[in-house]
Amino acid sequence: MKKIVSLILVVLALAGCSNAAPATNTGADTSAKKVYALVAKDVNNPYMQKAFDGFSEACTALGVEALYKGPDQATPEKQIEIINQLTAQNVALIAVAANDFDALEPALKAAMDKGIQVVSLDSSVNPNSRRMHINQADPEKIGRVLVQAAYEMVNGEGGMAILSATAQASNQNLWIEWMKKEIEENADKYAKTPLVKVVYGDDEPTKSTNETQALLMDDSIKVIIAPTTVGMLAAGKYMQDTASAVKLTGLGLPSEMAPFIEDGTCPWMYLWNPVDLGYLAAYGGDALVKGTVTGAAGNTFSAGRMGEMAVVAAADGGTEVMLGDPFKFEPSNIAEWKSVY
Ligand code: RAM
């Protein structure tokens, strides 16, 4: 017994004398790093990959490990499985671009009960399922500006159609609601540009192409609004290949859409910086993990190169952090942006 006690004392004394950094400060020890996970709508979606680029950049700056997860089709079922796995793995943060507003609630609540922080980004989950949402831009502005653009492109005459992502996507559905409101509230203006059809390409290139083809068979449709980067690219390609006279606008990645803006298939379109969106989600999530914010309106946190950001009340009763305004891409600036994102 005496021997053991003295051995312990020697070990303690040695540890006390050592100049080694405390365990929490060993930057080289990756096993001790916290894990922040981004769950994409669909891992193959280039927009989601760009969001992860920003998320990962922020995680490196924050000294945590970034994990990219998601289904290979934009469905909520697979996202639930992934969230359950991440919860079992005890990650510190789950940031999710949701394929359904409500369906992830039990899985995300279980994660939060375990002390895991949860934010949604891009496509929100309901307020019970998150601490806060990281929103790309005001949904009202997005919805209204797209319909106004379509109206201008057909000089106020010709049917409009919407090629959306999945039917359950909360972001697209909210934008479509605002598109419809813009038309309803300005019935006289839009009298000759009715919304003829809303179709869903499910953010799959093939389905989006087929839906575009079907829309173009309806002669009353003169402009397609695609509020999805995947839908826009598919529509742009199909419309270019068939030399369609129908116009295209929506939310597209400049890197993908440059050829269609340059040749006039898409006179102009909008988006925000998806890299910054992912970056902001990591910093917002990190502020929750560190306890500098709780996700309540009025909280502020420092978001690295983006500066000070504020948590505000969201229209759905929860809270959110807003990235900024949608940006217009057109022939005069597309060359400058196509190499950026
Ligand atoms: C697609 C996705 C995403 C949306 C963008 C504009 O990549 O549906 O959720 O925000 O388009």
Side-chain angles (χ1 to χ4, degrees):
M1 186 62 179
K2 223 179 183 180
K3 258 189 188 164
I4 294 175
V5 172
S6 44
L7 193 67
I8 291 172
L9 286 176
V10 169
V11 171
L12 286 178
L14 281 174
C17 290
S18 122
N19 285 325
T24 49
N25 205 13
T26 52
D29 183 9
T30 50
S31 63
K33 274 189 180 176
K34 287 197 173 95
V35 178
Y36 291 4
L38 189 152
V39 181
K41 271 186 168 180
D42 162 359
V43 274
N44 304 311
N45 179 337
Y47 169 94
M48 290 286 144
Q49 292 167 353
K50 289 186 193 303
F52 183 68
D53 288 347
F55 188 84
S56 164
E57 176 198 343
C59 286
T60 304
L62 291 163
V64 300
E65 191 186 327
L67 207 59
Y68 184 54
K69 292 277 177 187
D72 48 22
Q73 275 186 336
T75 65
E77 292 77 19
K78 278 275 171 60
Q79 285 193 316
I80 293 170
E81 274 175 39
I82 291 166
I83 290 162
N84 290 340
Q85 283 161 12
L86 292 170
T87 303
Q89 191 184 328
N90 212 16
V91 299
L93 170 71
I94 297 176
V96 59
N99 287 321
D100 193 292
F101 191 61
D102 296 312
L104 310 183
E105 183 172 333
L108 292 174
K109 269 189 170 166
M112 289 191 285
D113 285 348
K114 219 181 151 186
I116 296 171
Q117 297 300 333
V118 172
V119 298
S120 48
L121 75 155
D122 179 65
S123 183
S124 59
V125 287
N126 69 36
N128 293 334
S129 313
R130 67 182 204 234
R131 299 273 181 241
M132 56 194 193
H133 176 57
I134 312 296
N135 203 347
Q136 47 270 67
D138 182 356
E140 175 173 357
K141 277 190 194 160
I142 297 173
R144 289 193 192 273
V145 88
L146 288 177
V147 167
Q148 288 158 1
Y151 175 92
E152 269 187 60
M153 285 175 195
V154 296
N155 296 317
E157 221 172 313
M160 302 183 184
I162 297 172
L163 168 66
S164 191
T166 61
Q168 281 83 32
S170 63
N171 54 344
Q172 271 90 12
N173 285 349
L174 200 53
W175 302 332
I176 294 171
E177 262 179 48
W178 281 109
M179 291 184 211
K180 290 182 175 165
K181 249 187 216 165
E182 167 69 16
I183 297 172
E184 277 161 29
E185 288 173 6
N186 303 284
D188 287 351
K189 172 177 174 183
Y190 293 103
K192 291 185 180 159
T193 55
L195 177 59
V196 180
K197 250 178 219 162
V198 182
V199 297
Y200 299 90
D202 292 350
D203 270 352
E204 281 178 31
T206 309
K207 179 139 197 278
S208 304
T209 305
N210 295 342
E211 294 294 346
T212 305
Q213 186 178 12
L215 287 178
L216 294 179
M217 278 157 57
D218 183 333
D219 288 337
S220 71
I221 294 170
K222 302 293 183 215
V223 58
I224 296 178
I225 303 172
T228 140
T229 57
V230 179
M232 262 209 106
L233 178 61
K237 279 184 182 162
Y238 187 81
M239 291 162 84
Q240 191 181 58
D241 285 353
T242 55
S244 171
V246 172
K247 296 294 177 201
L248 173 66
T249 191
L251 304 171
L253 283 167
S255 54
E256 294 183 336
M257 293 304 293
F260 313 103
I261 291 194
E262 282 154 4
D263 82 350
T265 305
C266 169
W268 71 90
M269 63 170 198
Y270 299 84
L271 201 72
W272 42 87
N273 186 332
V275 180
D276 284 352
L277 184 68
Y279 183 91
L280 183 57
Y283 268 93
D286 183 68
L288 289 165
V289 170
K290 291 185 175 141
T292 28
V293 304
T294 59
N299 286 171
T300 59
F301 60 97
S302 140
R305 62 172 164 76
M306 295 178 69
E308 200 71 3
M309 299 296 295
V311 184
V312 296
D316 62 9
T319 62
E320 66 187 8
V321 183
M322 193 71 87
L323 180 68
D325 279 333
F327 187 81
K328 184 177 181 182
F329 298 98
E330 52 195 328
S332 65
N333 65 10
I334 192 67
E336 177 193 328
W337 283 100
K338 67 181 176 190
S339 57
V340 186
Y341 55 85

